[in-house]
Amino acid sequence: QVQLVESGGGLAQPGGSLRLSCAVRGSSFVINTMAWYRHAPGKQRELVASINNRGATNYADSLWDRFFISRDSAKDTLYLQMNRLKPEDTAIYFCKGNIYTYEEGSLDYWGQGTQVTVSS
């Protein structure tokens, strides 16, 4: 069974930085595209950034100059480096992975979410 385990959220001051991690746990899987989403209070969930298995990235228009998505294939881990944080970045951040296993085929798996709060 595949699980996505997130870490790295917390409280940051405006202008500060945080790095989120999302580790894929399980056995005998192949990771395809992975992505970060966020859900802020009173707003719809939105795509933050995605990265495919060739390293091609895609960002939300408003975030490309502050956020950076990367993955370490050797560690089966996805990262999101968030810089110059703003209060409006406050949200629960979720990672999602499209992952292939022999038993299930290709499915979307979600992490449990990690809270990011930007406040002075």
Side-chain angles (χ1 to χ4, degrees):
Q1 184 176 355
V2 173
Q3 290 184 321
L4 275 59
V5 180
E6 299 162 8
S7 60
L11 177 65
Q13 291 192 339
S17 298
L18 284 174
R19 189 176 82 154
L20 306 183
S21 299
C22 173
V24 181
R25 298 284 185 250
S27 62
S28 301
F29 55 80
V30 176
I31 301 172
N32 299 314
T33 296
M34 296 199 73
W36 288 99
Y37 287 78
R38 68 184 184 182
H39 192 182
K43 296 183 178 180
Q44 290 187 335
R45 183 178 62 190
E46 65 172 337
L47 174 68
V48 174
S50 65
I51 183 169
N52 68 16
N53 54 10
R54 290 187 294 275
T57 58
N58 180 55
Y59 292 90
D61 288 343
S62 61
L63 299 175
W64 66 271
D65 59 338
R66 298 188 296 118
F67 288 15
F68 179 70
I69 189 171
S70 62
R71 61 194 285 177
D72 184 333
S73 298
K75 297 181 179 180
D76 295 324
T77 300
L78 177 72
Y79 301 100
L80 183 69
Q81 178 67 41
M82 304 184 293
N83 300 319
R84 291 184 282 129
L85 284 163
K86 302 177 181 181
E88 51 263 43
D89 295 320
T90 296
I92 300 174
Y93 285 71
F94 298 88
C95 66
K96 185 184 83 170
N98 182 267
I99 298 171
Y100 172 86
T101 62
Y102 177 79
E103 296 81 6
E104 302 287 348
S106 289
L107 293 177
D108 287 339
Y109 295 85
W110 290 84
Q112 79 281 6
T114 186
Q115 177 71 47
V116 171
T117 302
V118 183
S119 175
S120 56

